[in-house]
PDB file of all heavy atoms in Angstrom:
ATOM      1  N   ALA A  59     -34.677  50.678  72.334  1.00 95.00           N
ATOM      2  CA  ALA A  59     -33.741  50.795  73.431  1.00 95.00           C
ATOM      3  C   ALA A  59     -33.508  52.276  73.755  1.00 95.00           C
ATOM      4  O   ALA A  59     -33.372  52.768  74.940  1.00 95.00           O
ATOM      5  CB  ALA A  59     -32.351  50.161  73.073  1.00 95.00           C
ATOM      6  N   LEU A  60     -33.549  53.135  72.770  1.00 95.00           N
ATOM      7  CA  LEU A  60     -33.398  54.589  72.897  1.00 95.00           C
ATOM      8  C   LEU A  60     -34.527  55.167  73.607  1.00 95.00           C
ATOM      9  O   LEU A  60     -34.428  56.061  74.428  1.00 95.00           O
ATOM     10  CB  LEU A  60     -33.234  55.171  71.531  1.00 95.00           C
ATOM     11  CG  LEU A  60     -32.765  56.648  71.508  1.00 95.00           C
ATOM     12  CD1 LEU A  60     -31.505  56.854  72.139  1.00 95.00           C
ATOM     13  CD2 LEU A  60     -32.670  57.170  69.966  1.00 95.00           C
ATOM     14  N   VAL A  62     -36.237  53.620  75.987  1.00 93.00           N
ATOM     15  CA  VAL A  62     -35.985  53.331  77.304  1.00 93.00           C
ATOM     16  C   VAL A  62     -34.983  54.256  77.964  1.00 93.00           C
ATOM     17  O   VAL A  62     -35.108  54.832  79.084  1.00 93.00           O
ATOM     18  CB  VAL A  62     -35.484  51.839  77.462  1.00 93.00           C
ATOM     19  CG1 VAL A  62     -35.101  51.466  78.945  1.00 93.00           C
ATOM     20  CG2 VAL A  62     -36.626  50.922  77.036  1.00 93.00           C
ATOM     21  N   ALA A  63     -33.907  54.514  77.237  1.00 93.00           N
ATOM     22  CA  ALA A  63     -32.832  55.325  77.779  1.00 93.00           C
ATOM     23  C   ALA A  63     -33.278  56.780  78.007  1.00 93.00           C
ATOM     24  O   ALA A  63     -32.882  57.444  78.893  1.00 93.00           O
ATOM     25  CB  ALA A  63     -31.688  55.381  76.765  1.00 93.00           C
ATOM     26  N   LEU A  64     -34.261  57.212  77.176  1.00 91.00           N
ATOM     27  CA  LEU A  64     -34.750  58.594  77.281  1.00 91.00           C
ATOM     28  C   LEU A  64     -35.888  58.692  78.295  1.00 91.00           C
ATOM     29  O   LEU A  64     -36.423  59.742  78.444  1.00 91.00           O
ATOM     30  CB  LEU A  64     -35.274  59.025  75.899  1.00 91.00           C
ATOM     31  CG  LEU A  64     -34.128  59.296  74.841  1.00 91.00           C
ATOM     32  CD1 LEU A  64     -34.761  59.676  73.556  1.00 91.00           C
ATOM     33  CD2 LEU A  64     -33.142  60.349  75.268  1.00 91.00           C
ATOM     34  N   LEU A 259     -26.439  47.283  80.512  1.00 94.00           N
ATOM     35  CA  LEU A 259     -25.787  48.590  80.389  1.00 94.00           C
ATOM     36  C   LEU A 259     -26.582  49.672  81.192  1.00 94.00           C
ATOM     37  O   LEU A 259     -25.975  50.493  81.854  1.00 94.00           O
ATOM     38  CB  LEU A 259     -25.790  49.090  78.831  1.00 94.00           C
ATOM     39  CG  LEU A 259     -24.808  48.371  77.982  1.00 94.00           C
ATOM     40  CD1 LEU A 259     -25.094  48.793  76.532  1.00 94.00           C
ATOM     41  CD2 LEU A 259     -23.381  48.890  78.356  1.00 94.00           C
ATOM     42  N   ARG A 260     -27.845  49.508  81.250  1.00 92.00           N
ATOM     43  CA  ARG A 260     -28.701  50.430  81.993  1.00 92.00           C
ATOM     44  C   ARG A 260     -28.477  50.296  83.572  1.00 92.00           C
ATOM     45  O   ARG A 260     -28.701  51.341  84.224  1.00 92.00           O
ATOM     46  CB  ARG A 260     -30.096  50.302  81.714  1.00 92.00           C
ATOM     47  CG  ARG A 260     -31.001  51.540  82.087  1.00 92.00           C
ATOM     48  CD  ARG A 260     -32.485  51.271  81.833  1.00 92.00           C
ATOM     49  NE  ARG A 260     -33.244  52.395  82.098  1.00 92.00           N
ATOM     50  CZ  ARG A 260     -34.562  52.430  82.399  1.00 92.00           C
ATOM     51  NH1 ARG A 260     -35.203  51.272  82.447  1.00 92.00           N
ATOM     52  NH2 ARG A 260     -35.201  53.569  82.678  1.00 92.00           N
ATOM     53  N   THR A 261     -27.979  49.228  84.019  1.00 92.00           N
ATOM     54  CA  THR A 261     -27.789  49.016  85.462  1.00 92.00           C
ATOM     55  C   THR A 261     -26.505  49.514  85.889  1.00 92.00           C
ATOM     56  O   THR A 261     -26.187  49.518  87.069  1.00 92.00           O
ATOM     57  CB  THR A 261     -27.926  47.525  85.704  1.00 92.00           C
ATOM     58  OG1 THR A 261     -26.892  46.757  85.150  1.00 92.00           O
ATOM     59  CG2 THR A 261     -29.223  46.893  85.387  1.00 92.00           C
ATOM     60  N   GLN A 262     -25.600  49.955  84.896  1.00 92.00           N
ATOM     61  CA  GLN A 262     -24.309  50.482  85.356  1.00 92.00           C
ATOM     62  C   GLN A 262     -24.328  51.958  85.771  1.00 92.00           C
ATOM     63  O   GLN A 262     -25.330  52.598  85.468  1.00 92.00           O
ATOM     64  CB  GLN A 262     -23.326  50.276  84.100  1.00 92.00           C
ATOM     65  CG  GLN A 262     -23.245  48.805  83.630  1.00 92.00           C
ATOM     66  CD  GLN A 262     -22.969  47.838  84.758  1.00 92.00           C
ATOM     67  OE1 GLN A 262     -22.033  47.886  85.537  1.00 92.00           O
ATOM     68  NE2 GLN A 262     -23.940  46.863  84.938  1.00 92.00           N
ATOM     69  N   PRO A 263     -23.279  52.491  86.421  1.00 92.00           N
ATOM     70  CA  PRO A 263     -23.263  53.916  86.680  1.00 92.00           C
ATOM     71  C   PRO A 263     -23.438  54.679  85.235  1.00 92.00           C
ATOM     72  O   PRO A 263     -22.845  54.319  84.323  1.00 92.00           O
ATOM     73  CB  PRO A 263     -21.860  54.090  87.238  1.00 92.00           C
ATOM     74  CG  PRO A 263     -21.587  52.690  87.853  1.00 92.00           C
ATOM     75  CD  PRO A 263     -22.169  51.729  86.984  1.00 92.00           C
ATOM     76  N   SER A 264     -24.151  55.731  85.335  1.00 90.00           N
ATOM     77  CA  SER A 264     -24.597  56.476  84.111  1.00 90.00           C
ATOM     78  C   SER A 264     -25.163  55.551  83.141  1.00 90.00           C
ATOM     79  O   SER A 264     -24.911  55.687  81.971  1.00 90.00           O
ATOM     80  CB  SER A 264     -23.302  57.230  83.598  1.00 90.00           C
ATOM     81  OG  SER A 264     -22.714  58.078  84.515  1.00 90.00           O
ATOM     82  N   GLY A 265     -26.057  54.690  83.632  1.00 89.00           N
ATOM     83  CA  GLY A 265     -26.603  53.582  82.791  1.00 89.00           C
ATOM     84  C   GLY A 265     -27.364  54.121  81.653  1.00 89.00           C
ATOM     85  O   GLY A 265     -27.272  53.587  80.494  1.00 89.00           O
ATOM     86  N   ASN A 266     -28.246  55.132  81.805  1.00 92.00           N
ATOM     87  CA  ASN A 266     -29.061  55.678  80.752  1.00 92.00           C
ATOM     88  C   ASN A 266     -28.237  56.253  79.598  1.00 92.00           C
ATOM     89  O   ASN A 266     -28.585  56.139  78.472  1.00 92.00           O
ATOM     90  CB  ASN A 266     -30.076  56.678  81.399  1.00 92.00           C
ATOM     91  CG  ASN A 266     -31.305  56.148  81.957  1.00 92.00           C
ATOM     92  OD1 ASN A 266     -31.608  54.923  81.702  1.00 92.00           O
ATOM     93  ND2 ASN A 266     -31.943  56.775  82.877  1.00 92.00           N
ATOM     94  N   LEU A 267     -27.091  56.853  80.141  1.00 95.00           N
ATOM     95  CA  LEU A 267     -26.196  57.479  79.108  1.00 95.00           C
ATOM     96  C   LEU A 267     -25.571  56.355  78.280  1.00 95.00           C
ATOM     97  O   LEU A 267     -25.427  56.517  77.002  1.00 95.00           O
ATOM     98  CB  LEU A 267     -25.134  58.316  79.743  1.00 95.00           C
ATOM     99  CG  LEU A 267     -24.101  59.037  78.871  1.00 95.00           C
ATOM    100  CD1 LEU A 267     -24.830  59.992  77.933  1.00 95.00           C
ATOM    101  CD2 LEU A 267     -23.068  59.744  79.611  1.00 95.00           C
ATOM    102  N   LEU A 268     -25.128  55.291  78.887  1.00 95.00           N
ATOM    103  CA  LEU A 268     -24.430  54.172  78.257  1.00 95.00           C
ATOM    104  C   LEU A 268     -25.485  53.541  77.316  1.00 95.00           C
ATOM    105  O   LEU A 268     -25.223  53.174  76.142  1.00 95.00           O
ATOM    106  CB  LEU A 268     -23.925  53.238  79.203  1.00 95.00           C
ATOM    107  CG  LEU A 268     -22.696  53.527  80.004  1.00 95.00           C
ATOM    108  CD1 LEU A 268     -22.385  52.480  81.122  1.00 95.00           C
ATOM    109  CD2 LEU A 268     -21.493  53.608  79.036  1.00 95.00           C
ATOM    110  N   LEU A 269     -26.692  53.287  77.889  1.00 96.00           N
ATOM    111  CA  LEU A 269     -27.716  52.602  77.027  1.00 96.00           C
ATOM    112  C   LEU A 269     -28.045  53.492  75.886  1.00 96.00           C
ATOM    113  O   LEU A 269     -28.245  52.956  74.771  1.00 96.00           O
ATOM    114  CB  LEU A 269     -28.961  52.340  77.950  1.00 96.00           C
ATOM    115  CG  LEU A 269     -30.192  51.767  77.117  1.00 96.00           C
ATOM    116  CD1 LEU A 269     -29.803  50.431  76.463  1.00 96.00           C
ATOM    117  CD2 LEU A 269     -31.315  51.601  78.103  1.00 96.00           C
ATOM    118  N   GLY A 270     -28.196  54.797  76.038  1.00 95.00           N
ATOM    119  CA  GLY A 270     -28.557  55.696  75.042  1.00 95.00           C
ATOM    120  C   GLY A 270     -27.528  55.671  73.830  1.00 95.00           C
ATOM    121  O   GLY A 270     -27.824  55.716  72.746  1.00 95.00           O
ATOM    122  N   ALA A 271     -26.251  55.677  74.309  1.00 96.00           N
ATOM    123  CA  ALA A 271     -25.171  55.651  73.252  1.00 96.00           C
ATOM    124  C   ALA A 271     -25.143  54.379  72.470  1.00 96.00           C
ATOM    125  O   ALA A 271     -25.131  54.452  71.163  1.00 96.00           O
ATOM    126  CB  ALA A 271     -23.767  55.902  74.038  1.00 96.00           C
ATOM    127  N   VAL A 272     -25.342  53.175  73.076  1.00 96.00           N
ATOM    128  CA  VAL A 272     -25.360  52.044  72.410  1.00 96.00           C
ATOM    129  C   VAL A 272     -26.646  51.857  71.553  1.00 96.00           C
ATOM    130  O   VAL A 272     -26.658  51.278  70.447  1.00 96.00           O
ATOM    131  CB  VAL A 272     -25.122  50.815  73.276  1.00 96.00           C
ATOM    132  CG1 VAL A 272     -25.236  49.513  72.546  1.00 96.00           C
ATOM    133  CG2 VAL A 272     -23.722  50.878  74.013  1.00 96.00           C
ATOM    134  N   ALA A 273     -27.745  52.324  72.138  1.00 96.00           N
ATOM    135  CA  ALA A 273     -28.957  52.253  71.437  1.00 96.00           C
ATOM    136  C   ALA A 273     -28.919  53.113  70.138  1.00 96.00           C
ATOM    137  O   ALA A 273     -29.413  52.694  68.981  1.00 96.00           O
ATOM    138  CB  ALA A 273     -30.175  52.690  72.333  1.00 96.00           C
ATOM    139  N   LEU A 274     -28.374  54.325  70.207  1.00 97.00           N
ATOM    140  CA  LEU A 274     -28.225  55.197  69.060  1.00 97.00           C
ATOM    141  C   LEU A 274     -27.346  54.546  68.067  1.00 97.00           C
ATOM    142  O   LEU A 274     -27.560  54.564  66.832  1.00 97.00           O
ATOM    143  CB  LEU A 274     -27.618  56.572  69.523  1.00 97.00           C
ATOM    144  CG  LEU A 274     -27.417  57.597  68.425  1.00 97.00           C
ATOM    145  CD1 LEU A 274     -28.814  57.888  67.779  1.00 97.00           C
ATOM    146  CD2 LEU A 274     -26.857  58.907  68.940  1.00 97.00           C
ATOM    147  N   GLY A 275     -26.282  53.824  68.535  1.00 97.00           N
ATOM    148  CA  GLY A 275     -25.383  53.117  67.644  1.00 97.00           C
ATOM    149  C   GLY A 275     -26.046  51.998  66.996  1.00 97.00           C
ATOM    150  O   GLY A 275     -25.862  51.777  65.780  1.00 97.00           O
TER     151      GLY A 275
END
Side-chain angles (χ1 to χ4, degrees):
L60 193 58
V62 174
L64 294 174
L259 283 171
R260 197 185 184 202
T261 65
Q262 305 310 301
S264 303
N266 279 338
L267 181 61
L268 286 173
L269 175 61
V272 176
L274 183 60

